[in-house]
Amino acid sequence: MTLTRHLSHAALGLAGAALLTLTASAQARELSVSTVLSDAFPWGQAAEKWAELLEERSGGELTLRVYPNAQLVSGDQTREFSAMRSGLIDAAVGSTINWSPQVPELNLFSLPFFIPDTAAVDAVTQGEAGELVFEAIARRGIMPLAWGENGFRQISNSSGPISAPEDLEGLKIRVVGSPLFQDTFAALGADPTQMSWTDAQPALTTGAVDGQENPLSVFDVARIDQVGQEYLTRWNYMNDPLVFAVSQQVWGSLSPEEQTMLRETAQEAGAWEIAMTREQESERLAAIEERGVTVTELDEAEYQAFVEATMSVHEKWASRIGEDLMKAAQSAIDAR
């Protein structure tokens, strides 16, 4: 009788443990996170850091699974925002450039020669202008949580140094799929050519396209110097902030505690990635120069020549971005 009772209690204990395990498994939740670049780049590392922090903070009950290289949208990064809004993607660390077709206010960051330095970036993103941008994203069905940074975009080419607008005359420059980029390079006398990066690499190698624009981190890690890009100009013509965000459907399904964890870990990952991206800038530039790339730095007069050459782009796009947002951003930059 005693042995039977012990066996019965043991069976009940095992059943209870199994039930607890099943309950814990049922409560654990994994969210998909889209990002355009892998963890070889700071952008991808930002998403991985977010996942790492959230798993630790939640004890594994709420986790993120990162899908790099825009694989959740078959490589079409401009569809990322729409896919998240429709629920096909739970969350993303996305580019303001890629999301600008759905959120016109994000074109603020793509205005040529508008945000001149990192102090201006911080003044815009961390102030009233940043709040207005986040409100614009939220109105489109996405909950923005934090800022990251892909960095200032620089221009490279295979023909020669670029230090004045006339140096771009007639050059075929690969650009991302944004009308604002088309307008910017057309205003500078170049021939903007829209294509995916997959198509751009062989086009640069064969000389079908003369140049491209990307942050130093992308130029360095992707070894763009190996596809004929022998000349690089640091002109900081636009900055590409990243946005950590989650779909409104997912956000609404989370408890207040989970929402707090998701937001706080996104903010921590964003701050970590921004600091890392900026700290690595000089090191990346040195590595690029060591590989034989000729780097051109603009002086103030040269920079202003590009500013003046692209003023028509500002006039065309300011109304699309929004008067209040433009004023808030300009005030933040002036007061930095």
Side-chain angles (χ1 to χ4, degrees):
M1 179 71 71
T2 302
L3 179 59
T4 303
R5 185 178 293 117
H6 281 316
L7 289 172
S8 177
H9 286 167
L12 286 171
L14 289 171
L19 181 60
L20 286 172
T21 300
L22 287 172
T23 302
S25 298
Q27 290 175 342
R29 185 174 182 185
E30 180 182 271
L31 304 179
S32 62
V33 181
S34 175
T35 185
V36 169
L37 296 179
S38 72
D39 60 6
F41 302 84
W43 188 343
Q45 291 164 19
E48 293 290 351
K49 184 69 171 181
W50 188 16
E52 174 190 321
L53 290 170
L54 184 62
E55 181 172 15
E56 178 184 316
R57 200 72 49 84
S58 71
E61 293 185 6
L62 183 62
T63 60
L64 303 174
R65 182 176 179 183
V66 180
Y67 292 84
N69 304 316
Q71 59 183 284
L72 295 179
V73 284
S74 302
D76 185 355
Q77 56 210 59
T78 60
R79 289 176 46 220
E80 185 178 67
F81 189 90
S82 297
M84 184 163 44
R85 183 166 54 190
S86 67
L88 294 176
I89 296 173
D90 296 324
V93 179
S95 160
T96 55
I97 299 171
N98 294 334
W99 293 3
S100 63
Q102 291 80 35
V103 187
E105 291 85 350
L106 292 175
N107 285 297
L108 172 74
F109 301 101
S110 296
L111 278 177
F113 307 101
F114 179 61
I115 301 178
D117 49 40
T118 55
V121 174
D122 294 341
V124 171
T125 59
Q126 304 306 314
E128 179 188 358
E131 293 175 2
L132 291 173
V133 169
F134 270 19
E135 289 172 8
I137 295 173
R139 287 197 301 272
R140 272 77 173 195
I142 301 297
M143 177 59 68
L145 304 175
W147 293 100
E149 186 168 281
N150 197 25
F152 279 101
R153 298 177 79 91
Q154 320 297 356
I155 189 166
S156 70
N157 79 105
S158 58
S159 299
I162 294 173
S163 60
E166 50 266 31
D167 294 330
L168 278 159
E169 190 70 36
L171 290 185
K172 289 186 177 181
I173 305 296
R174 178 265 175 179
V175 296
V176 296
S178 165
L180 178 48
F181 283 68
Q182 297 275 347
D183 289 346
T184 295
F185 283 93
L188 291 169
D191 179 8
T193 305
Q194 179 184 327
M195 60 176 62
S196 69
W197 185 245
T198 301
D199 293 332
Q201 288 175 300
L204 289 166
T205 301
T206 62
V209 174
D210 300 304
Q212 61 84 52
E213 49 77 53
N214 258 307
L216 284 184
S217 61
V218 176
F219 191 100
D220 182 29
V221 177
R223 294 302 301 270
I224 295 178
D225 53 287
Q226 293 185 340
V227 291
Q229 298 298 282
E230 300 176 13
Y231 303 93
L232 173 72
T233 295
R234 288 189 72 205
W235 62 348
N236 285 10
Y237 90 110
M238 64 148 290
N239 189 276
D240 181 20
L242 302 175
V243 179
F244 292 70
V246 64
S247 75
Q248 292 281 16
Q249 301 99 307
V250 168
W251 183 255
S253 71
L254 299 174
S255 69
E257 292 77 16
E258 290 172 325
Q259 290 178 349
T260 297
M261 279 193 296
L262 197 63
R263 187 189 299 277
E264 288 182 349
T265 52
Q267 290 172 343
E268 290 174 31
W272 172 84
E273 187 267 341
I274 290 170
M276 176 184 64
T277 298
R278 294 178 183 179
E279 288 170 2
Q280 293 176 346
E281 190 88 347
S282 59
E283 181 181 329
R284 291 193 186 282
L285 187 63
I288 290 167
E289 288 183 296
E290 286 175 7
R291 296 200 293 267
V293 176
T294 299
V295 176
T296 299
E297 302 274 0
L298 301 182
D299 61 29
E300 184 60 29
E302 290 169 335
Y303 181 85
Q304 286 302 319
F306 284 104
V307 172
E308 292 169 11
T310 54
M311 286 308 297
S312 61
V313 181
H314 288 230
E315 293 166 4
K316 177 178 179 178
W317 282 85
S319 61
R320 304 183 188 185
I321 293 168
E323 184 178 341
D324 290 343
L325 177 54
M326 287 293 299
K327 285 182 178 178
Q330 188 64 66
S331 295
I333 293 169
D334 292 342
R336 74 188 187 284

